[in-house]
Amino acid sequence: MAVLLSLVLWFVVLLVCFIISRVAYVTISCYCLNPRRIKKIMEKQGVHGPKPKFLVGNLVDVSSFVSKATANDMESIHDHNTVPRLLPHFLHWSKEYGKRFIYWVGSEPRMCLTDMDMIKELLSSKYSKVTGKSWLQRQGCKHFIGRGLLMANGEDWYHQRHIVAPAFMADKLKCHVGYMLECTKRMIQSLQQVVVESSTNENVEIDIGDYMSRLTGDIISRTEFDSSYDKGKRIFHLLTSLQHLCAQSSRHLCLPGSRFFPSKFNREIKSLKMEVERLLMEIIQSRKDCVDIGRSTSYGNDLLGMLLAETQKKRVQNGNGFNFNLQLLMDECKTFFFTGHETTALLLTWTVMLLATNPSWQDKVRAEVLQVLNNEDPSPEHLSKLTLLNMVIMESLRLYPPASLLPRMVFEDIKLGDLEIPKGLSIWIPVLAIHHSKELWGEDANEFKPERFAGKAFAPGRHFMPFSTGPRNCVGQAFAMMEAKIILSMLISKFNFKTSDNYRHAPVIVLTLKPKYGVQVYLTPLAQ
């Protein structure tokens, strides 16, 4: 018996030693060996960067640059040169090390890339399955949007894209126009009521961002999840809170094991995640119950219906099971609940700000809208004729793209242009800097000039990529553009707007590019 106990004890000791050795090897590889290997490979090719500090890399430097640059508001509401404010580290290091340089977020090396030919190759189908989101990004969004389409990689991304894409096809989008009109009319009535209740019927101040956020939330709830905004607003509120907390939390991910610390911060994130998923389960269960009790023969043909139908299927990919389970279903719901209203709301908010500060363009767009619509509700046929409005939206996306950076990690060694890119290197494309580049757009790159989109010289994918480009572009971009045109055409035909004296021009990046203090505008109803 004693011999048996001794053998068991030795086995346990060996197992513990093996586990400790394995963890130590993985940790050393992750935080020391792999970064050194990548650094040497890139330095041999002439790609250098600032010296990283142990564990934190250049995070402290980045934080210092950004905090100094954003300490004050921008000097003028007509000043759209946001790169020095939002990407000061990019400007500093590109001057010191050249257009291609590497900086470090913890132990993750990130190469900034602005060469358009190399970017086009990287984002093409050639590398769509061997590039994707890094561990740091995925871990940072784990409790926010999980492993939804935005954070999926490889074959999982391919299958998830295949599942959701039909929900955003042209025929489906046309079916959503009625909901978009109804929701927008309700918002306009709300604004008109605010004006009526005001002591003066002119120069009524509102924060347009709040209204746009509620409106786009209402639209995505109705069109893709068949629920009202009242049901979804709690989810939006919680997801916004999670966005801010996860953005803060990601700064600490470079410290080994930080995500396991039982801190108040981590407990709050997990608590919010559980509440979001509980509310989503109520919506999901309600849809499932309709089928289970025979009230409906299908889960519906909106996004939620397609996702629910997919959970009933067994998919096989290359001999490996692709399991679209309940957790993945909720992750997709969180992804589209958030991106379906946050990014479009920001696009609308920035566009209203630009029109409010450029009254001549506001007048031009209004004249076009009134002529094309001719007192009718906007339809898909009308939208294609609103060329000036489209130019303004494109210019808004150029100056204030909701996603200011496009990240791609390389999962195997690849050849990109004249560079050998090693496995494990993360490539970051500074979309904001590219959109403001005077080399690409001319000396007036930081000015609001929608006429630059009158031709096809700056077609999406060349110098302009607010929705990314290639196979991994935004699956909902057609939805977002149709929604934006409908809302703006209806709003501009009812109101004149100009920026409030209280508006402070202070763009910031918290995952997305947003106005720090909101966008306050004066509304004046138009004579009908």
Side-chain angles (χ1 to χ4, degrees):
M1 187 68 177
V3 174
L4 182 60
L5 285 172
S6 179
L7 287 172
V8 170
L9 183 60
W10 271 109
F11 176 76
V12 171
V13 169
L14 287 171
L15 183 61
V16 170
C17 289
F18 172 77
I19 293 171
I20 292 173
S21 300
R22 178 66 180 165
V23 170
Y25 173 75
V26 170
T27 303
I28 292 169
S29 293
C30 177
Y31 288 91
C32 187
L33 301 180
N34 284 337
R36 279 190 179 183
R37 174 184 62 86
I38 292 170
K39 190 170 183 286
K40 285 182 179 179
I41 292 172
M42 298 312 295
E43 283 180 344
K44 283 181 181 178
Q45 300 178 83
V47 181
H48 302 273
K51 186 178 179 181
K53 293 186 174 113
F54 182 61
L55 290 182
V56 297
N58 301 115
L59 271 177
V60 176
D61 301 322
V62 172
S63 179
S64 175
F65 276 124
V66 173
S67 120
K68 286 178 184 175
T70 56
N72 300 309
D73 300 346
M74 297 188 74
E75 292 182 359
S76 165
I77 57 175
H78 297 284
D79 183 4
H80 307 301
N81 186 18
T82 54
V83 178
R85 173 185 175 85
L86 302 175
L87 301 176
H89 50 294
F90 166 78
L91 288 181
H92 181 83
W93 288 328
S94 60
K95 284 178 184 176
E96 187 172 352
Y97 301 106
K99 290 185 177 180
R100 298 185 299 208
F101 64 88
I102 288 182
Y103 73 104
W104 300 74
V105 175
S107 61
E108 181 183 295
R110 295 179 174 177
M111 182 178 77
C112 269
L113 186 66
T114 55
D115 183 292
M116 293 310 301
D117 290 332
M118 293 174 74
I119 289 171
K120 185 177 179 182
E121 184 181 1
L122 177 69
L123 299 179
S124 70
S125 56
K126 180 180 179 181
Y127 295 127
S128 62
K129 290 186 180 180
V130 296
T131 61
K133 301 301 168 73
S134 70
W135 176 88
L136 210 56
Q137 288 176 273
R138 285 159 66 92
Q139 195 61 43
C141 291
K142 180 180 177 182
H143 298 301
F144 174 38
I145 53 176
R147 294 291 182 265
L149 181 64
L150 202 59
M151 287 294 139
N153 286 330
E155 291 294 334
D156 286 349
W157 167 80
Y158 174 81
H159 284 294
Q160 287 169 238
R161 175 85 178 207
H162 179 76
I163 292 166
V164 304
F168 299 97
M169 295 297 186
D171 56 334
K172 289 281 171 55
L173 294 182
K174 288 182 180 179
C175 297
H176 296 330
V177 171
Y179 285 127
M180 292 180 181
L181 292 173
E182 183 184 334
C183 294
T184 307
K185 286 177 181 177
R186 203 158 47 234
M187 182 201 72
I188 288 174
Q189 288 170 359
S190 172
L191 290 171
Q192 289 170 333
Q193 188 63 32
V194 170
V195 173
V196 169
E197 292 174 356
S198 155
S199 57
T200 171
N201 280 1
E202 58 182 35
N203 286 348
V204 177
E205 183 185 286
I206 61 145
D207 188 330
I208 196 66
D210 291 342
Y211 283 87
M212 292 307 181
S213 183
R214 286 196 292 271
L215 175 57
T216 56
D218 195 9
I219 288 173
I220 196 68
S221 297
R222 295 282 300 277
T223 57
E224 301 301 351
F225 297 94
D226 194 27
S227 67
S228 67
Y229 176 69
D230 290 334
K231 251 187 179 181
K233 67 181 177 182
R234 177 66 179 155
I235 295 174
F236 295 129
H237 175 72
L238 291 169
L239 283 174
T240 302
S241 299
L242 266 175
Q243 179 195 26
H244 286 268
L245 288 173
C246 289
Q248 295 175 49
S249 174
S250 62
R251 299 170 191 167
H252 308 295
L253 284 173
C254 53
L255 303 175
S258 62
R259 66 191 190 279
F260 301 118
F261 294 163
S263 63
K264 181 182 177 182
F265 193 75
N266 284 340
R267 285 197 300 271
E268 187 178 358
I269 288 176
K270 289 179 182 178
S271 173
L272 286 173
K273 179 200 173 192
M274 289 173 66
E275 180 63 11
V276 168
E277 293 186 348
R278 184 188 68 78
L279 294 170
L280 283 173
M281 271 307 302
E282 289 180 3
I283 296 174
I284 292 167
Q285 195 59 50
S286 174
R287 185 74 68 92
K288 289 178 72 176
D289 289 346
C290 286
V291 173
D292 293 343
I293 65 176
R295 190 180 298 168
S296 176
T297 56
S298 74
Y299 293 116
N301 62 356
D302 59 3
L303 179 62
L304 178 57
M306 291 177 183
L307 295 174
L308 267 170
E310 196 64 28
T311 62
Q312 309 304 310
K313 297 178 183 178
K314 295 293 183 183
R315 287 181 170 270
V316 178
Q317 59 164 68
N318 299 329
N320 299 315
F322 173 74
N323 184 21
F324 195 85
N325 54 30
L326 184 60
Q327 183 59 57
L328 195 49
L329 167 61
M330 286 194 288
D331 288 347
E332 294 292 15
C333 288
K334 284 185 285 185
T335 296
F336 285 95
F337 253 116
F338 178 76
T339 58
H341 101 281
E342 165 86 351
T343 54
T344 311
L346 288 172
L347 162 60
L348 291 163
T349 301
W350 287 120
T351 305
V352 168
M353 185 277 288
L354 289 166
L355 286 171
T357 52
N358 292 273
S360 62
W361 268 98
Q362 185 180 157
D363 292 340
K364 288 179 190 176
V365 171
R366 182 178 294 111
E368 177 188 67
V369 167
L370 294 175
Q371 180 184 4
V372 171
L373 297 189
N374 194 24
N375 294 321
E376 296 179 2
D377 289 335
S379 67
E381 291 70 30
H382 288 133
L383 300 184
S384 62
K385 299 174 184 175
L386 297 174
T387 54
L388 293 179
L389 177 59
N390 185 68
M391 286 156 56
V392 167
I393 292 173
M394 300 285 265
E395 182 70 341
S396 175
L397 284 168
R398 185 186 72 84
L399 291 172
Y400 298 94
S404 56
L405 295 164
L406 278 178
R408 289 290 185 273
M409 174 164 269
V410 177
F411 302 132
E412 61 181 51
D413 295 347
I414 65 170
K415 172 80 172 174
L416 189 64
D418 62 332
L419 291 177
E420 298 288 343
I421 306 295
K423 173 184 176 181
L425 177 62
S426 197
I427 298 174
W428 282 62
I429 302 165
V431 174
L432 187 68
I434 290 169
H435 280 191
H436 287 255
S437 169
K438 290 184 179 180
E439 288 182 25
L440 299 174
W441 299 89
E443 288 301 313
D444 59 0
N446 293 312
E447 297 175 26
F448 175 72
K449 287 196 169 181
E451 61 266 29
R452 72 178 83 245
F453 286 98
K456 296 182 179 180
F458 297 106
R462 190 173 175 215
H463 305 151
F464 181 66
M465 51 183 71
F467 299 106
S468 185
T469 186
R472 287 196 69 138
N473 65 354
C474 174
V475 70
Q477 61 181 294
F479 181 99
M481 288 298 288
M482 183 175 80
E483 180 181 13
K485 289 177 185 178
I486 287 174
I487 293 169
L488 290 168
S489 64
M490 294 178 72
L491 184 67
I492 205 168
S493 65
K494 297 293 183 183
F495 297 99
N496 182 74
F497 30 87
K498 63 179 181 178
T499 47
S500 162
D501 297 334
N502 295 318
Y503 172 61
R504 298 168 62 182
H505 193 39
V508 291
I509 295 175
V510 184
L511 294 185
T512 49
L513 199 165
K514 55 186 65 177
K516 185 176 182 179
Y517 307 106
V519 172
Q520 295 77 30
V521 297
Y522 292 133
L523 281 186
T524 305
L526 297 172
Q528 299 297 313

